[in-house]
Amino acid sequence: MKKLLILGSGAGGTIVAAKMAKSLGDDWKITVIDRDWKHHYQAGWLFVPFGVYSLADCMKPKSDFIPEGVTFVQDTIVNINPEKKQVKTEKGEYDYDWLVIGTGCRIMPDEIEGMMDDWHGNIHDFYTPTGAQALYKKLKYYKKGKVVLNIAEMPIKCPVAPLEFVYLADWFFTINGVRKDIEIELVTPLTGAFTKPVAAGVLGKVCEEKNIKIVPNFEIAGVNVGEKTIESVKGEKVDYDLLVSIPPNFGSQIIMDSGLGDAMGYVDTDKHTLKAKNIPNCYVIGDATNCPTSKAGSVAHYQADIVCDNLLREIDGEEPRPEFDGHSTCFIVSGYEQAYLIDFNYKVEPLQGKYPFPGVGPFALLGESHFNYWGKMMFKWVYFNLMLKGHELPLESQMFMAGKMRHHLVGA
């Protein structure tokens, strides 16, 4: 019997398992290995600090999304051996004919000097469940001070999330009647609000209108918790009362330990076929790749079709097709039940216009609307009920659910 082994059951690994289960015959065994039984809707962590979602809203058992005929193994991977086509875990060994790596990425706050000296004290994150919950407790009654959102370096998961955070903070503090006593500052290594010039101009203007200061070209060197400052490699200092950090993002430790990644633990991946460059019989998906596109759920969703198609082609003796174009689609919540929408790929940056949704109507691209906001808020339902199960996304169902998914900020 032939064996397909999938490492990681996040968005990418789970969707691949669902799609391949429909395509491979009874002569194939599909196994998914992951150390955690909980599946998180990671995009929801952004909303936890503001009381829009709880962690429970963003979490379901992974067993809910493993299709019939696919074996789910809850275990910790300790080694990947491409030469033997074997993966070792704490409890066993697994051979494979084809491997899909979907091990994601993680934040590394200890990479920044001084950051751990006050971690979850006056320095917080929202890129982990525990971090988002701790920040919720910090913000719930926050009344006065300077809130600094710092991006340590790129790449990071969901590059629009830092902007969404400062926009939501402006909304949250305004609703709670304390915005006049709170400064909000976005400190970034980028040259502006976003990575792409046209979008950076539009989204930077939004920051200006909301009185959110942007400090660009800031490459953090360390944190001085005694004087409550962050310092750049050039010696520039920014003071804070509350530091919301997006630390360096690294790939999985197992990728690094197995010698299969670059210095940051990402797998060297052909950006068009999604096949691993240095690992035979292996495809890579989602945050685990070093593809020059967003590390976001939408990207993993788009990549899954390419990974599955190319796997099937190679199993049939054909060459993989270079069809992935870096496609990413992101809603950017801007506050007051409005949002922007951007859509781009390797060659085309986010531009203004309309995103066609047949039967529903166009979403505004790089334009603020309530329609975009409810598109964002209904997506958790779509994610859990359709995407992870390998279904296509019927647009009418999405819009129907949007009317049932109203959420309110703390204090609203």
Side-chain angles (χ1 to χ4, degrees):
M1 178 173 283
K2 298 288 188 179
K3 298 176 182 178
L4 171 62
L5 187 59
I6 301 171
L7 306 184
S9 59
T14 302
I15 297 172
V16 168
K19 288 180 176 292
M20 293 304 289
K22 298 174 184 177
S23 301
L24 292 178
D26 294 337
D27 56 334
W28 278 85
K29 180 178 181 180
I30 304 174
T31 302
V32 180
I33 304 176
D34 197 294
R35 64 186 176 187
D36 194 357
W37 67 270
K38 301 182 294 294
H39 189 105
H40 280 271
Y41 175 59
Q42 294 187 48
W45 295 343
L46 166 70
F47 298 97
V48 171
F50 303 104
V52 179
Y53 289 150
S54 68
L55 288 183
D57 291 328
C58 305
M59 182 176 67
K60 287 192 175 184
K62 288 183 175 177
S63 58
D64 287 0
F65 312 109
I66 303 300
E68 185 177 351
V70 173
T71 301
F72 176 70
V73 176
Q74 186 181 342
D75 202 351
T76 299
I77 301 164
V78 296
N79 181 260
I80 303 168
N81 189 327
E83 292 183 1
K84 293 183 177 180
K85 290 187 181 179
Q86 185 181 78
V87 172
K88 290 186 178 181
T89 67
E90 289 183 349
K91 300 176 183 177
E93 295 180 353
Y94 299 85
D95 299 324
Y96 64 84
D97 294 284
W98 283 93
L99 181 69
V100 175
I101 296 177
T103 47
C105 66
R106 62 212 159 104
I107 62 168
M108 297 287 286
D110 52 338
E111 288 287 311
I112 303 299
E113 184 178 352
M115 185 164 285
M116 297 305 294
D117 294 346
D118 196 23
W119 190 243
H120 293 173
N122 289 308
I123 304 175
H124 285 264
D125 77 281
F126 62 89
Y127 270 50
T128 62
T130 54
Q133 184 64 31
L135 186 52
Y136 165 73
K137 294 177 181 178
K138 190 75 175 181
L139 291 182
K140 189 173 182 180
Y141 301 114
Y142 200 83
K143 294 181 174 64
K144 185 177 181 179
K146 183 177 180 181
V147 178
V148 172
L149 186 288
N150 172 246
I151 305 169
E153 63 183 26
M154 301 299 286
I156 59 172
K157 287 193 285 189
C158 192
V160 301
L163 278 169
E164 290 186 285
F165 184 90
V166 294
Y167 294 160
L168 283 166
D170 169 72
W171 183 21
F172 178 81
F173 293 133
T174 299
I175 285 173
N176 288 339
V178 296
R179 180 64 175 93
K180 65 183 184 300
D181 297 317
I182 295 176
E183 297 177 68
I184 303 175
E185 201 160 298
L186 172 64
V187 182
T188 172
L190 303 175
T191 57
F194 192 59
T195 55
K196 308 291 185 179
V198 174
V202 173
L203 300 171
K205 182 67 174 177
V206 176
C207 287
E208 184 180 329
E209 292 169 352
K210 295 179 182 296
N211 194 27
I212 298 168
K213 182 181 178 181
I214 299 178
V215 178
N217 303 309
F218 190 98
E219 298 179 40
I220 190 170
V223 183
N224 187 322
V225 300
E227 63 181 27
K228 285 189 176 180
T229 61
I230 56 175
E231 184 171 347
S232 76
V233 295
K234 297 178 181 178
E236 307 156 302
K237 290 187 177 183
V238 174
D239 63 296
Y240 66 86
D241 293 300
L242 173 61
L243 176 61
V244 181
S245 173
I246 301 176
N249 281 212
F250 278 45
S252 170
Q253 187 64 46
I254 187 57
I255 299 299
M256 301 176 79
D257 291 345
S258 299
L260 302 179
D262 59 21
M264 296 183 68
Y266 297 118
V267 180
D268 194 10
T269 307
D270 185 294
K271 69 178 185 179
H272 293 299
T273 66
L274 302 176
K275 191 172 183 178
K277 291 183 178 180
N278 301 317
I279 308 172
N281 288 47
C282 177
Y283 280 85
V284 195
I285 191 167
D287 296 349
T289 79
N290 69 346
C291 295
T293 187
S294 294
K295 294 187 181 297
S298 66
V299 173
H301 176 231
Y302 296 135
Q303 287 177 336
D305 286 329
I306 309 302
V307 167
C308 292
D309 182 61
N310 280 339
L311 270 171
L312 292 170
R313 288 180 63 83
E314 293 222 56
I315 288 169
D316 289 339
E318 298 293 323
E319 290 294 314
R321 291 191 291 205
E323 291 195 334
F324 183 63
D325 65 356
H327 192 187
S328 179
T329 306
C330 300
F331 288 98
I332 305 171
V333 173
S334 53
Y336 303 94
E337 296 187 351
Q338 296 196 89
Y340 290 78
L341 175 63
I342 58 175
D343 190 79
F344 57 100
N345 61 27
Y346 290 140
K347 295 182 178 180
V348 179
E349 69 171 289
L351 299 171
Q352 292 177 312
K354 299 292 183 181
Y355 191 96
F357 276 82
V360 178
F363 282 83
L365 289 170
L366 270 180
E368 192 176 41
S369 74
H370 293 291
F371 198 34
N372 285 342
Y373 177 77
W374 294 116
K376 170 87 171 189
M377 299 312 291
M378 63 82 187
F379 203 77
K380 180 166 67 71
W381 183 91
V382 174
Y383 180 81
F384 278 134
N385 291 277
L386 298 174
M387 281 179 59
L388 291 181
K389 297 177 182 179
H391 298 313
E392 300 304 319
L393 307 184
L395 300 172
E396 293 78 7
S397 296
Q398 294 181 35
M399 294 301 107
F400 174 77
M401 290 306 301
K404 297 186 176 183
M405 304 252 330
R406 296 190 65 85
H407 298 273
H408 301 279
L409 294 170
V410 173

